[in-house]
Amino acid sequence: MDKRWNILQTDEKKATALQASLKISNTLCKILVQRGIDDFEKAKNYFRPSLTALHDPYLMKDMGKAVERIVTAFEKKEKILVFGDYDVDGTTAVACMYQFICKIYNPENVDFYIPHRYREGYGVSKMGIDFAAENNFSLIISLDCGIKSADLIAYASTLGIDFVICDHHLPDLVLPKAVAILNPKQVDCNYPYKELCGCGVGFKLITALAQRYSIDEEFYYCYLDLTAIAIAADIVPMTGENRILAYHGLIKINENPCPGVKALILLANIQKSLSINNVVFIIAPRVNAAGRMDDAKKAVQLFVEQDPIKAMEFAEMLHSDNSDRKEADSTITEEALAMINNDVLLQKRKTTVVYKEHWHKGVVGIVASRLTENYYRPTVVLTRSGEIAAGSARSVTGFNLYEAIHACREYLLGYGGHFAAAGLSLLPENIEAFSNKFESVVSNSIDEQLLIPEIIIDTEISFEEITASFYNIICQMEPFGPENMRPVFVVKKVIDNGYSKIVKDHHIRFVVTSNTKTFTGIGFNMADKFKLIQEKKPLDIVFTIDENEYNGQTSLQLKVIDLRLSE
């Protein structure tokens, strides 16, 4: 699949000024300026993330109310239920909050609740509120959910149950009648950083409670490992407070993680120190698998378990759920691709809508993402759930999927989501009508350019600039994530030395020279581009830089993302 190359532009004056104060390469200064780091002070905070730079939690709207309601619960010996969503952000948030409250309050008066993905669905559930009422809980702290649950929270209050909401999803115009709503995205919340995840908002409430009781930092900084896992998994911007929390959380993950995280790392057989990327691709899927394939409650049990042997038992359950998830997702992806590959009409569309009754509903969202890797366009994957069809949708960068699905609502029973992803349900007999309407809405509104995947390239570079010290500074830009991605470079007019070859059928091993400097590189799943190398003409290559260890020797290599013939 061909891709669009988008080489970012930089304010050259600002880059030159930054270089004068930092004394590092101009190329790196250009990238920093693009990311809003344009003076010495900002650069210092960026390269040396400090926990002392975290904002005062009481700057968040309703923080005082939330703390006082919890203090009242302690004083009146009320029962408190910690409630969270079934994904990584929700389960880590619940584990942190539950453990912290158990430290400062009678654990017999505290419990946690994770709604079942299929029996109850996303967010605050009626079953959860009924459970609270039956067991005499009078305060629910909801994490990573609650902001859109006005009706259910009103129902809870008729049963004498108060809510403190910690959420980061966009609020609707009508807010729930909770005792306190902690969400920096509220229009009238003056909290300086808006991009915290659910666990991050929970961490701020824990910090505020700790300050209220003059509790030492070490008693809540111990949750930084779980907070970092949530930040990585929830794909929130890796900027500001998120980056500080992720940076220090990664150190904890690598030095002394909680027994549950340690068990996951052992099972995944990771010997080296983990990066945020490892957390996203190794830890997060195992945690998410619990909710996808069975019950996410065991993810919380894993995170709160202090006995390493029991923690390993929970980790093995998650590991096994993840193996089931992998099998389901690869089987379904193959079946769905076959449906498109065997139908010329489906191939020509600007959308994908596929449906099979037997597909596992826990993985349809993953399958939708995988399909966009092959057919890059808005995609809906549906399966049968009782009497109805339900599923997930994924967009392409820059296209508002939620609006497109909203325009097809006449055929839907329910839908929800945001710009890039959504969930929907409909009657099976309406699938064809929905599919045609969705195709018509998208093809009439999408910019053709958006159907070609885009590679964002930070800047052009020369091979001479790529040195050990240059790479060392790139490493100090970690942790990487949205809005702070690993830098992507382009070098133009490189020459293949004749030693490049296809390895393991799918990948290319590169040996390329520019001016007089030669680099080796690897291009995963790029074998279809090998014919360009065989033309023996100058090439432009797009890549990131990483290290390669071979026979005890470490050298820099290029991780090639794309290439084309030079103009």
Side-chain angles (χ1 to χ4, degrees):
M1 179 186 313
D2 283 331
K3 300 186 170 87
R4 288 181 288 145
W5 291 11
N6 177 1
I7 303 176
L8 299 179
Q9 299 302 307
T10 310
D11 184 325
E12 298 286 349
K13 269 190 190 157
K14 281 186 178 175
T16 306
L18 187 63
Q19 187 184 12
S21 65
L22 293 187
K23 312 279 190 285
I24 61 171
S25 115
N26 183 262
T27 298
L28 290 170
C29 289
K30 282 183 189 171
I31 297 172
L32 292 170
V33 167
Q34 287 164 6
R35 297 179 187 198
I37 301 146
D38 53 12
D39 63 34
F40 184 83
E41 197 54 34
K42 287 179 189 166
K44 190 178 121 206
N45 292 336
Y46 175 78
F47 283 112
R48 304 285 177 267
S50 166
L51 289 164
T52 55
L54 294 173
H55 305 301
D56 175 359
Y58 286 95
L59 294 172
M60 200 178 289
K61 182 181 182 235
D62 281 3
M63 187 61 80
K65 289 182 188 170
V67 169
E68 287 318 307
R69 178 62 187 87
I70 294 167
V71 169
T72 302
F74 292 169
E75 287 166 355
K76 292 188 173 169
K77 298 191 167 49
E78 290 178 67
K79 286 183 78 176
I80 301 172
L81 187 64
V82 182
F83 188 107
D85 189 30
Y86 45 68
D87 66 1
V88 178
D89 194 14
T91 52
T92 50
V94 166
C96 297
M97 186 65 69
Y98 172 76
Q99 288 181 94
F100 184 74
I101 290 179
C102 287
K103 271 183 194 168
I104 60 176
Y105 185 49
N106 178 2
E108 287 177 11
N109 286 338
V110 194
D111 201 356
F112 65 84
Y113 189 99
I114 304 285
H116 192 279
R117 187 176 188 127
Y118 308 121
R119 290 196 290 272
E120 299 168 74
Y122 167 78
V124 174
S125 68
K126 183 172 183 298
M127 272 170 78
I129 292 168
D130 291 340
F131 168 86
E134 284 155 22
N135 294 282
N136 303 316
F137 289 94
S138 49
L139 176 62
I140 294 179
I141 301 172
S142 74
L143 295 138
D144 191 34
C145 60
I147 196 75
K148 294 189 183 292
S149 306
D151 294 350
L152 284 166
I153 287 169
Y155 167 68
S157 70
T158 65
L159 303 172
I161 299 170
D162 285 343
F163 260 83
V164 167
I165 296 171
C166 302
D167 204 347
H168 69 119
H169 297 95
L170 273 175
D172 292 330
L173 289 172
V174 177
L175 292 175
K177 297 249 185 309
V179 175
I181 299 176
L182 305 177
N183 183 339
K185 292 195 177 92
Q186 291 182 88
V187 183
D188 54 351
C189 178
N190 295 321
Y191 193 71
Y193 188 67
K194 302 292 182 187
E195 302 297 339
L196 292 168
C197 62
C199 186
V201 177
F203 186 82
K204 300 311 291 193
L205 174 54
I206 289 171
T207 308
L209 280 165
Q211 288 177 8
R212 173 75 165 70
Y213 287 104
S214 306
I215 292 168
D216 203 48
E217 287 167 348
E218 66 180 285
F219 291 102
Y220 57 94
Y221 281 176
C222 55
Y223 307 127
L224 284 171
D225 51 355
L226 296 181
T227 309
I229 290 169
I231 290 166
D234 227 52
I235 322 284
V236 286
M238 195 59 78
T239 55
E241 277 193 319
N242 283 342
R243 196 159 164 277
I244 296 170
L245 293 166
Y247 177 88
H248 291 278
L250 258 182
I251 293 172
K252 180 157 171 60
I253 288 170
N254 285 308
E255 288 177 4
N256 61 332
C258 65
V261 172
K262 192 171 189 172
L264 284 177
I265 293 170
L266 283 170
L267 275 184
N269 201 14
I270 305 165
Q271 311 297 335
K272 58 185 194 339
S273 75
L274 274 82
S275 67
I276 280 290
N277 219 26
N278 298 136
V279 173
V280 171
F281 290 105
I282 294 164
I283 295 182
R286 286 168 168 76
V287 178
N288 268 328
R292 288 183 188 284
M293 308 312 284
D294 184 35
D295 189 342
K297 187 176 171 182
K298 59 189 166 202
V300 181
Q301 291 169 307
L302 169 81
F303 292 140
V304 303
E305 182 55 66
Q306 293 307 308
D307 176 347
I309 294 167
K310 285 186 182 158
M312 183 53 83
E313 287 170 11
F314 285 122
E316 280 168 348
M317 290 183 207
L318 265 63
H319 198 71
S320 150
D321 285 338
N322 193 47
S323 302
D324 295 347
R325 187 275 306 167
K326 276 186 189 164
E327 195 178 327
D329 110 42
S330 64
T331 310
I332 297 168
T333 302
E334 275 176 34
E335 287 181 20
L337 277 175
M339 287 166 75
I340 307 170
N341 293 339
N342 295 330
D343 187 330
V344 178
L345 291 175
L346 280 185
Q347 289 169 33
K348 288 185 172 159
R349 297 184 94 157
K350 289 181 180 166
T351 60
T352 298
V353 178
V354 283
Y355 167 68
K356 278 266 175 81
E357 288 195 353
H358 66 272
W359 287 345
H360 192 296
K361 56 188 171 181
V363 299
V364 288
I366 302 175
V367 172
S369 297
R370 297 219 194 284
L371 293 181
T372 62
E373 291 166 18
N374 289 273
Y375 290 94
Y376 190 73
R377 57 202 195 185
T379 297
V380 180
V381 179
L382 299 165
T383 182
R384 185 82 177 238
S385 178
E387 295 304 303
I388 63 170
S392 290
R394 294 290 181 271
S395 192
V396 294
T397 307
F399 181 71
N400 191 330
L401 179 73
Y402 181 80
E403 276 186 7
I405 286 177
H406 175 74
C408 306
R409 63 192 178 278
E410 64 194 285
Y411 300 111
L412 303 177
L413 294 170
Y415 62 98
H418 50 88
F419 200 91
L424 63 161
S425 60
L426 66 168
L427 293 170
E429 56 265 33
N430 286 337
I431 291 173
E432 195 178 339
F434 163 76
S435 175
N436 292 334
K437 173 80 182 212
F438 185 61
E439 170 68 17
S440 135
V441 168
V442 172
S443 50
N444 287 324
S445 61
I446 198 163
D447 176 347
E448 290 282 336
Q449 283 281 306
L450 296 182
L451 295 167
I452 306 165
E454 177 183 54
I455 300 176
I456 306 274
I457 299 164
D458 290 278
T459 184
E460 192 178 334
I461 192 175
S462 70
F463 274 180
E464 284 73 27
E465 292 176 75
I466 304 173
T467 60
S469 62
F470 182 88
Y471 177 70
N472 184 23
I473 295 172
I474 289 178
C475 292
Q476 292 178 49
M477 295 171 73
E478 293 199 46
F480 296 122
E483 294 178 35
N484 185 49
M485 300 299 275
R486 177 179 284 280
V488 174
F489 302 104
V490 61
V491 171
K492 296 188 171 170
K493 300 197 166 81
V494 303
I495 304 294
D496 167 62
N497 288 13
Y499 295 110
S500 297
K501 60 183 185 205
I502 291 179
V503 287
K504 294 185 181 167
D505 297 339
H506 300 292
H507 320 304
I508 301 179
R509 170 121 175 107
F510 289 88
V511 185
V512 285
T513 300
S514 171
N515 295 336
T516 54
K517 196 161 180 183
T518 300
F519 273 100
T520 59
I522 184 78
F524 291 111
N525 298 310
M526 284 182 67
D528 58 328
K529 301 255 180 185
F530 193 69
K531 55 183 183 292
L532 294 177
I533 296 174
Q534 290 171 312
E535 291 192 31
K536 300 283 180 220
K537 291 176 181 167
L539 300 165
D540 297 350
I541 57 170
V542 176
F543 57 92
T544 58
I545 305 166
D546 71 18
E547 276 184 324
N548 182 36
E549 273 185 49
Y550 186 69
N551 288 343
Q553 293 283 325
T554 304
S555 60
L556 296 181
Q557 71 166 0
L558 314 179
K559 201 168 168 188
V560 180
I561 301 166
D562 202 11
L563 73 148
R564 61 188 184 201
L565 294 174
S566 303
E567 284 176 4

